[in-house]
Amino acid sequence: MPTTLKWPLITKQNPKSLIAESYKGLRTNIDFSRLDAKVKSILVTSAALGEGKSTTVANLAIAYAETGRNVLIVDGDLRNPAMHNIFNLSNDKGLSNVLFNTADLEKNIQSSRTMNLSVLTSGPVPPNPSEILGSHQMEALMNEVKSQYDLVILDTPPTLPFTDAQVATALCDGVVLVIKSGGESRKDISKAVTSLEFVGARLLGAVLNQASRKTLSAAYHE
């Protein structure tokens, strides 16, 4: 498991910790973010690289699975996939193979070893990630899994360096933006939000990741 993913599954490993409770709070906030319809699919992205979005996806998915909902993670980060590392799964075949009709969807959805949580890993990284996420095949796949699971969480590349997340926004009910504390400037974060809203994304909220108590206190008193 990569050293950058420190305590990636803390929701499972230490469910009573403050961090685990934060993921459960995020789950609740998402559930109440839409009054007109139940959220059944979530796209998670970040402004830039290395902000912890994949760790957020994994822990949020566990938080949902613990409520008894049948959850599927789809690793749509076809540039720097992480779900197979986080859950210690094979990535010989996955999303890219299914979309190219070289593998069967059902046979390549893997158990995460957490009750109610399954994972479709990325598969081999293709040369044209954004085109794949925007394809009719991807739309058909997402419609199929959304009919089979209570919740589908789609992990996508960051928005500033790549267009993948913008292309895929129509596939999900809403978007969660992960922001690393002390990372990108407010200007860049605003640019990321604007790029998502430009393509009609419904922003469910933002996650401030890796924030210290001092940072949180300062933000609360602003």
Side-chain angles (χ1 to χ4, degrees):
M1 186 173 291
T3 56
T4 54
L5 295 173
K6 185 178 181 181
W7 303 110
L9 299 180
I10 195 166
T11 306
K12 182 177 181 179
Q13 296 167 347
N14 192 0
K16 294 184 179 180
S17 66
L18 289 176
I19 296 176
E21 288 298 327
S22 295
Y23 285 115
K24 295 173 186 177
L26 173 61
R27 176 192 68 200
T28 301
N29 290 337
I30 291 172
D31 282 343
F32 285 95
S33 63
R34 290 190 62 174
L35 299 177
D36 57 334
K38 186 176 181 179
V39 176
K40 293 200 64 177
S41 55
I42 303 167
L43 184 151
V44 180
T45 186
S46 59
L49 295 165
E51 304 215 57
K53 64 174 181 58
S54 296
T55 303
T56 298
V57 168
N59 283 284
L60 178 61
I62 292 172
Y64 268 107
E66 288 176 344
T67 67
R69 276 173 275 195
N70 197 16
V71 181
L72 174 68
I73 295 173
V74 176
D75 194 344
D77 190 340
L78 300 177
R79 298 178 186 273
N80 186 30
M83 289 304 149
H84 60 289
N85 285 326
I86 292 175
F87 289 100
N88 194 25
L89 300 173
S90 169
N91 198 35
D92 292 338
K93 292 183 179 179
L95 176 62
S96 60
N97 302 94
V98 174
L99 293 178
F100 281 111
N101 298 314
T102 60
D104 181 75
L105 172 61
E106 185 176 348
K107 291 180 180 178
N108 284 279
I109 292 176
Q110 303 180 62
S111 169
S112 69
R113 303 180 186 89
T114 294
M115 187 177 293
N116 303 319
L117 177 58
S118 302
V119 180
L120 177 61
T121 63
S122 68
V125 174
N128 53 342
S130 59
E131 288 82 358
I132 289 177
L133 288 185
S135 67
H136 292 299
Q137 292 91 329
M138 183 66 183
E139 182 180 6
L141 181 147
M142 287 295 292
N143 286 336
E144 182 174 352
V145 295
K146 283 189 286 187
S147 71
Q148 297 173 358
Y149 291 84
D150 298 320
L151 179 69
V152 178
I153 304 179
L154 177 63
D155 187 16
T156 62
T159 59
L160 292 181
F162 309 112
T163 61
D164 306 42
Q166 292 95 310
V167 168
T169 52
L171 302 174
C172 296
D173 295 331
V175 176
V176 171
L177 181 65
V178 178
I179 302 165
K180 180 181 177 181
S181 177
E184 297 302 298
S185 66
R186 292 191 180 190
K187 182 179 179 181
D188 286 335
I189 294 169
S190 177
K191 183 178 178 181
V193 170
T194 299
S195 69
L196 291 168
E197 291 178 336
F198 180 77
V199 293
R202 184 187 289 265
L203 285 170
L204 301 175
V207 176
L208 182 61
N209 197 27
Q210 301 180 38
S212 65
R213 291 178 182 270
K214 182 178 179 181
T215 300
L216 291 174
S217 178
Y220 179 81
H221 289 96
E222 278 189 356

